[in-house]
Amino acid sequence: MAAPGRLPRQSDLRLCQDAGFPAPRCPHGPTLLFVKGNQGEEAARRFYACSACRDRKDCHFFQWEDEKLSEARLAAREAYNRSCQPPLSHVQYVERYWKFIQLPLSQRKFCQNCQQLLLPDDWGKHSEHHVLGDISTAQLKRPSQLLYPLENKKTNAQYLFADRSCQFLVDLISTLGFKRVLSVGTPRLHELIRLKASGDKESGIKSLLLDIDFRYSQFYAEDSFCHYNMFNHHFFDGKASLEICRKFLQEDKGSGVIMVMDPPFGGLVEPLAFTFRKLMALWREGCDSGDSSKELPIFWIFPYFFESRILQFFPTFSMLDYQVDYDNHALYKHGKTGRKQSPVRIFSNIPPNKIILPAEEGYRFCSVCQRYVSSENQHCEICNSCTSKDGRRWHHCFLCKKCVKPSWTHCSICDQCALPNHACQHAEGGCFICGEADHKCRTCPNRSKHKKTVKAVRKQKKKKGTR
């Protein structure tokens, strides 16, 4: 079991949904009950930890399930939780915003240190800070470009959509005929929808942003933004925000709305799925149809290697080939090739043949699969499917009876395809180089040969990269 000073790796964690009483709270709302997945019966002691933060440096909350706390500790915790909340309420932030936009351009200032819009009475407190002046109305409509992105990938990573991907999503939503978008963790999409709506009254698309970043309270009214934690379905402003979300989802008896979600990639899939099901249930309450199988249309944006986990919770979803890219991420950029391509995809319960991907970016329609695929994703006649997941051309292994990545080869020890220099699964008790059980890899007679092979492979890859 992990010591209280550090949580286990998320691959070792297992979420427990059978807590017998209301969960204790941290600054991010109700905590979640976990158990370390690879522990025996005796060591499997359950504990509460922050729903949003997997690192104790970001949120130090930790409590064993059977731990009894004194009244003094509970009072201290409650005081600490209050101290971590935003300094002003959403209503107060909106009041400040209306005062701010009435100021002449020369008096509109924004403190980059405090990430705050400044009124004239605030200037003295920020005289030593880096302050931007002449904040235009256009800048106020694009707050994601004014605010510094939060970049903790496990908690609240704000890897903001590049204009290419954001425009594609807005055009796709419009083409599919949706009139409302519940934007969960997608501030840049929310911005672009509002910008299009203000410039084109006929488009008529509305958006409600749910995000854990309270700084957006400075720019959006209560009916446009809710301070929200998607890992535990917690509205920080309570029932008032929940009712705004309910009304938005159930407008027109639930028709014409789609939910678009872009969670932090380091987050656990299970609590996210649990939250999204609650939002889907909230939408279904207002539907005119009594059909319980009817689903809220969804775009879940997540890396392709989480496909099996997502399909485990949402079997009706399918993964699109479209590569989503981000402005402020070093790797997730459009136009890169090979393994450097963005691994981020769109998972949706909308039939894939209804989603047209742009031909100018190399996507084409596969008449057999009845969906749009990337140019490198070739149809395999044996698998009867376009099998590539990562944008590269995969090859069929007749021994594995499936298509595999181009860099993989079939291992006779593991009896499956893997990277050439992988550690064999069937050699856990012995040598992972040759597979024999009577010695370890450090005493393997083939060790020097194996090292040379690995070195040659790396050298060859380096040469290809240089070219």
Side-chain angles (χ1 to χ4, degrees):
M1 176 55 62
R6 184 176 178 84
L7 293 179
R9 293 176 304 171
Q10 67 162 305
S11 58
D12 296 334
L13 288 176
R14 191 159 45 85
L15 188 65
C16 305
Q17 299 288 1
D18 58 342
F21 55 91
R25 291 179 173 242
C26 72
H28 302 94
T31 55
L32 299 180
L33 184 62
F34 294 99
V35 65
K36 194 172 180 184
N38 61 358
Q39 293 291 315
E41 198 67 36
E42 186 178 339
R45 191 179 177 191
R46 306 198 300 185
F47 61 92
Y48 289 100
C50 178
S51 61
C53 304
R54 296 274 62 79
D55 196 325
R56 293 288 309 285
K57 293 177 183 177
D58 302 311
C59 181
H60 65 249
F61 186 97
F62 186 98
Q63 181 182 325
W64 297 113
E65 183 188 23
D66 54 4
E67 185 177 0
K68 303 297 181 183
L69 301 183
S70 65
E71 290 296 325
R73 282 189 64 187
L74 289 171
R77 176 183 288 171
E78 183 62 30
Y80 174 75
N81 290 347
R82 284 197 301 269
S83 71
C84 294
Q85 298 311 305
L88 301 175
S89 69
H90 196 167
V91 174
Q92 290 172 315
Y93 276 124
V94 173
E95 289 174 355
R96 285 175 58 88
Y97 177 81
W98 290 117
K99 290 178 183 178
F100 185 88
I101 61 175
Q102 291 171 14
L103 296 172
L105 188 63
S106 60
Q107 294 185 21
R108 293 184 186 177
K109 298 183 179 182
F110 177 79
C111 178
Q112 288 190 310
N113 296 63
C114 303
Q115 297 285 279
Q116 179 184 335
L117 295 173
L118 302 180
L119 297 176
D121 292 343
D122 305 321
W123 293 353
K125 303 173 187 176
H126 302 265
S127 58
E128 301 298 321
H129 295 176
H130 188 198
V131 175
L132 297 177
D134 299 338
I135 303 299
S136 65
T137 303
Q139 286 176 291
L140 292 173
K141 289 181 178 179
R142 300 298 300 266
S144 71
Q145 297 181 352
L146 201 58
L147 299 168
Y148 287 136
L150 304 174
E151 294 187 342
N152 185 330
K153 66 180 181 180
K154 294 182 179 179
T155 309
N156 45 19
Q158 289 178 330
Y159 294 129
L160 302 167
F161 292 143
D163 288 340
R164 160 193 164 267
S165 292
C166 202
Q167 189 64 57
F168 166 76
L169 285 168
V170 173
D171 292 343
L172 178 60
I173 289 165
S174 178
T175 302
L176 292 171
F178 293 108
K179 296 298 182 183
R180 301 190 311 285
V181 181
L182 185 66
S183 305
V184 185
T186 59
R188 187 154 286 181
L189 178 67
H190 178 69
E191 282 177 6
L192 189 56
I193 290 171
R194 288 173 59 86
L195 280 171
K196 286 200 70 169
S198 62
D200 180 12
K201 299 298 182 183
E202 293 183 3
S203 68
I205 299 179
K206 296 189 293 185
S207 175
L208 172 63
L209 175 64
L210 308 184
D211 202 284
I212 200 169
D213 187 354
F214 77 88
R215 298 176 300 173
Y216 286 102
S217 300
Q218 300 178 85
F219 302 92
Y220 298 124
E222 296 96 319
D223 61 349
S224 297
F225 169 71
C226 296
H227 188 199
Y228 179 75
N229 181 352
M230 71 176 78
F231 288 96
N232 59 4
H233 188 54
H234 175 65
F235 289 89
F236 288 88
D237 292 326
K239 290 183 179 180
S241 289
L242 174 61
E243 286 307 310
I244 289 170
C245 182
R246 184 196 304 275
K247 184 179 177 181
F248 186 85
L249 285 170
Q250 297 179 2
E251 186 179 328
D252 293 333
K253 297 181 179 179
S255 66
V257 64
I258 184 172
M259 181 163 67
V260 183
M261 303 114 42
D262 185 27
F265 301 151
L268 292 169
V269 172
E270 189 172 356
L272 289 171
F274 188 70
T275 288
F276 298 154
R277 281 175 176 168
K278 284 192 171 184
L279 289 170
M280 293 168 77
L282 194 65
W283 165 81
R284 192 175 287 113
E285 288 173 7
C287 289
D288 191 27
S289 171
D291 185 5
S292 60
S293 64
K294 191 177 179 182
E295 288 188 341
L296 169 68
I298 288 176
F299 287 156
W300 182 344
I301 296 160
F302 225 47
Y304 72 84
F305 38 81
F306 284 101
E307 181 183 21
S308 61
R309 290 288 287 158
I310 291 176
L311 296 184
Q312 179 184 343
F313 295 102
F314 297 103
T316 59
F317 279 30
S318 58
M319 187 179 78
L320 308 180
D321 267 24
Y322 185 81
Q323 295 183 16
V324 181
D325 59 328
Y326 296 80
D327 265 351
N328 57 324
H329 196 287
L331 300 177
Y332 301 166
K333 300 286 187 180
H334 176 63
K336 293 189 175 182
T337 58
R339 294 188 65 187
K340 294 183 179 179
Q341 300 174 81
S342 171
V344 186
R345 301 289 185 269
I346 300 172
F347 296 86
S348 180
N349 53 1
I350 298 173
N353 60 349
K354 292 185 177 181
I355 301 174
I356 301 172
L357 304 186
E360 62 273 16
E361 294 182 16
Y363 298 101
R364 58 179 179 80
F365 186 74
C366 176
S367 57
V368 182
C369 296
Q370 284 292 296
R371 68 184 183 99
Y372 282 82
V373 296
S374 63
S375 57
E376 290 295 313
N377 192 357
Q378 297 299 309
H379 191 86
C380 175
E381 299 295 338
I382 303 167
C383 297
N384 194 29
S385 174
C386 293
T387 52
S388 174
K389 306 290 185 184
D390 61 5
R392 295 179 293 169
R393 183 176 297 187
W394 287 20
H395 65 264
H396 189 85
C397 174
F398 290 92
L399 296 172
C400 291
K401 297 180 180 179
K402 65 179 182 179
C403 286
V404 296
K405 295 180 180 180
S407 55
W408 286 15
T409 57
H410 195 84
C411 174
S412 58
I413 299 171
C414 297
D415 194 27
Q416 65 182 16
C417 285
L419 288 169
N421 57 343
H422 72 287
C424 293
Q425 290 182 357
H426 298 313
E428 292 177 359
C431 175
F432 71 80
I433 295 175
C434 66
E436 296 295 333
D438 60 350
H439 63 270
K440 297 292 184 181
C441 62
R442 61 179 175 271
T443 59
C444 180
N446 297 323
R447 188 180 184 189
S448 59
K449 183 180 177 181
H450 176 72
K451 277 188 173 181
K452 287 179 182 178
T453 304
V454 172
K455 190 174 180 181
V457 170
R458 287 177 179 169
K459 191 175 181 181
Q460 189 65 25
K461 284 183 180 178
K462 191 175 181 181
K463 282 184 180 179
K464 286 182 180 179
T466 306
R467 291 198 198 105

